[in-house]
Amino acid sequence: MAAYLIADVDITDMAMFDEYRREVPATEARYGGHYLARGGATRVLEGDWEPHRLVIIEFPDMAALTSWYGSPEYERLKQIRFRCAHTRIMAIEGTA
């Protein structure tokens, strides 16, 4: 069953974030991940949520998603992201 990573990213250093953004897709692809949404326009329909840059990545399953998130190749990029953005990230399983 597919699993989805949903991230709300508040970028604080765009130059550093550009490095992260250039390198991260190759790491996701190794685990079967691909973007469904990546920083496009948003519109809040209900509630008081004020999203920043939203990203949705689909993986084949939760095991692939969590393997990517904990992988050595992503760990280096994660450290870059920690320095240039405030991020809220969640993972959710899709429906069967």
Side-chain angles (χ1 to χ4, degrees), residues 39-94:
T42 60
R43 180 179 300 166
V44 175
L45 301 177
E46 292 187 26
D48 59 1
W49 188 16
E50 294 183 33
H52 298 91
R53 176 184 172 81
L54 288 180
V55 177
I56 303 172
I57 307 167
E58 181 179 41
F59 286 87
D61 51 39
M62 190 63 78
L65 188 159
T66 55
S67 291
W68 164 75
Y69 188 79
S71 69
E73 61 264 27
Y74 184 58
E75 183 60 35
R76 181 183 70 78
L77 296 174
K78 207 182 319 182
Q79 295 306 313
I80 294 170
R81 182 174 48 77
F82 290 158
R83 292 192 310 270
C84 66
H86 302 288
T87 312
R88 288 178 290 290
I89 297 176
M90 64 174 296
I92 184 170
E93 286 187 333

